[in-house]
Amino acid sequence: MKKVLKILGIVVLLILVILIVAPFFLKGKIIEVVKSEANKNLKAEVEFADVNLSFFRSFPDLFVGVEKLSVVGVDEFQGDTLARMKSLNLSVDVMSAISGDQIEINEIALQEPLVNIIVHEDGAANYDIAKESAQEEESEDEVDDEGGSTSLSIESYSIDKGTVIYSDQSLKMLMVLLELNHSGSGNFAEEVFTLSTQTEIGDVYFDYEGTTYIQKTRANLKADIGIDLANMKFTFQENELAINNLLLAFDGWLAMPGEDIDMDITYSSTNNDLAGLLSLVPSEYTSDMDGVDASAQIGFSGYVKGVYNDNSM
């Protein structure tokens, strides 16, 4: 019995040593492959400070952490940052990565990401960074029923303290989201599944054609979305939106089976207090409303229904 326990102890020790040492041997290769593939398939400069690997932080999965990741534009968008983040952390099922058919990512976490989308007057966008050869290969993989390509399965993801900037010069529109916290979970490996999301935004700013419509506004959204990837249809199931003190509920669906966008969405207020609506007025304008009685009861509802494309709305 002592001999068996001794052998068992040695085996366990060897396993621990492998779990500790293996990431150091893999690290250099992973950094080399990621940078090579990214810069080969993208019209952008991809950089990151370091890659951390560990079997202990998310055992039995492999933890992969990418530090100070950035994606910067080239050519027309030379020097413009498309994205950067403090860290990108993944929890990967090791056996799925070894098999190669479908890599299962149990969790993706983005720490303090900045997404900076720029669209010029001619419609050129800095997020259009996939090289044509990469796009063609992706299309071939999608139509290849025989398999042979590697797919990704994602269980959950999260964004912590994010910032999103969308500047569209063709529409003269600017939107900024600050203090963005978002999480989502669902079985992305299935063609039909429910995506459960929770979103909090500390500050929303929206300007259109020089007029500021929203500023210093907070928003919270809890949404369950039924996703049908085969038909590109998204059904809003349980949804609650709070904009400052205004509460809204909405349901319906949106589909993009082809070039057209088809939709049937209804919405309504769930609190009938005028103060909730007045909470959307920027604070610099509320001084003119001192003494206003906001105890009135209101209610509103509406819908968006029909087909939208380049020629009709």
Side-chain angles (χ1 to χ4, degrees), residues 117 164-178 201-219 243-244 280-282 284-285:
I117 298 174
V164 177
I165 302 172
Y166 181 83
S167 176
D168 192 329
Q169 297 168 10
S170 67
L171 298 176
K172 295 181 173 57
M173 183 180 76
L174 173 63
M175 180 180 69
V176 181
L177 308 178
L178 302 176
I201 306 174
D203 192 345
V204 180
Y205 176 90
F206 180 77
D207 185 285
Y208 180 66
E209 293 188 340
T211 300
T212 301
Y213 290 93
I214 302 175
Q215 63 177 328
K216 298 180 181 178
T217 299
R218 65 185 184 277
I243 307 175
N244 282 349
L280 301 183
V281 179
E284 50 263 44
Y285 302 122

Side-chain angles (χ1 to χ4, degrees), residues 7-49:
I7 294 173
L8 182 60
I10 293 173
V11 171
V12 171
L13 181 61
L14 285 173
I15 292 174
L16 288 173
V17 170
I18 292 172
L19 290 176
I20 295 171
V21 175
F24 293 97
F25 289 101
L26 294 171
K27 182 175 179 178
K29 184 65 177 177
I30 288 177
I31 293 176
E32 178 185 341
V33 170
V34 170
K35 284 192 175 182
S36 174
E37 288 299 311
N39 290 303
K40 182 173 69 176
N41 292 294
L42 300 177
K43 294 181 291 185
E45 296 177 355
V46 179
E47 292 292 340
F48 49 86

Side-chain angles (χ1 to χ4, degrees), residues 14 20 22 30 42 45 51 60 64 73 81 103-104 251 258 274:
L14 285 173
I20 295 171
I30 288 177
L42 300 177
E45 296 177 355
V51 173
V64 181
T81 297
I103 299 177
E104 297 178 8
D251 57 30
L274 179 60

Side-chain angles (χ1 to χ4, degrees), residues 59-307:
F59 189 83
D61 297 328
L62 173 65
F63 169 84
V64 181
V66 183
E67 302 295 329
K68 297 181 180 179
L69 173 65
S70 67
V71 181
V72 179
V74 297
D75 301 329
E76 184 176 352
F77 296 97
Q78 180 72 40
D80 292 329
T81 297
L82 171 59
R84 72 166 181 262
M85 61 196 71
K86 181 179 180 180
S87 65
L88 168 63
N89 300 326
L90 301 91
S91 176
V92 183
D93 182 278
V94 177
M95 296 310 297
S96 70
I98 294 174
S99 67
D101 294 331
Q102 183 181 77
I103 299 177
E104 297 178 8
I105 300 178
N106 293 322
E107 183 180 6
I108 298 178
L110 281 63
Q111 298 291 326
E112 299 180 23
L114 164 67
V115 177
N116 180 36
I117 298 174
I118 302 172
V119 180
H120 287 170
E121 288 188 5
D122 60 1
N126 70 334
Y127 58 79
D128 185 16
I129 59 175
K131 292 182 178 178
E132 291 184 4
S133 59
Q135 292 175 331
E136 292 170 0
E137 289 174 6
E138 183 179 349
S139 298
E140 291 174 0
D141 289 341
E142 289 176 355
V143 299
D144 183 9
D145 294 331
E146 299 297 324
S149 62
T150 300
S151 61
L152 291 176
S153 169
I154 303 172
E155 184 174 322
S156 65
Y157 63 92
S158 64
I159 297 171
D160 182 46
K161 298 179 181 177
T163 299
V164 177
I165 302 172
Y166 181 83
S167 176
D168 192 329
Q169 297 168 10
S170 67
L171 298 176
K172 295 181 173 57
M173 183 180 76
L174 173 63
M175 180 180 69
V176 181
L177 308 178
L178 302 176
E179 300 173 32
L180 169 64
N181 296 302
H182 173 80
S183 61
S185 61
N187 189 355
F188 288 80
E190 301 292 334
E191 285 197 338
V192 178
F193 65 97
T194 297
L195 175 63
S196 298
T197 67
Q198 180 74 48
T199 306
E200 297 178 357
I201 306 174
D203 192 345
V204 180
Y205 176 90
F206 180 77
D207 185 285
Y208 180 66
E209 293 188 340
T211 300
T212 301
Y213 290 93
I214 302 175
Q215 63 177 328
K216 298 180 181 178
T217 299
R218 65 185 184 277
N220 291 274
L221 172 64
K222 180 180 180 182
D224 288 345
I225 305 170
I227 297 180
D228 182 350
L229 293 177
N231 299 299
M232 286 300 290
K233 184 174 182 179
F234 309 91
T235 303
F236 305 108
Q237 299 171 347
E238 298 291 335
N239 304 276
E240 299 174 358
L241 173 63
I243 307 175
N244 282 349
N245 297 327
L246 179 66
L247 304 179
L248 298 171
F250 60 95
D251 57 30
W253 53 267
L254 182 147
M256 298 181 291
E259 295 297 324
D260 294 343
I261 300 177
D262 195 6
M263 67 194 81
D264 187 353
I265 302 171
T266 61
Y267 59 88
S268 62
S269 60
T270 59
N271 64 328
N272 297 319
D273 187 351
L274 179 60
L277 183 61
L278 293 180
S279 71
L280 301 183
V281 179
S283 57
E284 50 263 44
Y285 302 122
T286 55
S287 59
D288 298 329
M289 301 170 61
D290 290 342
V292 172
D293 183 2
S295 61
Q297 298 296 297
I298 65 168
F300 65 88
S301 62
Y303 66 88
V304 182
K305 183 177 182 179
V307 177

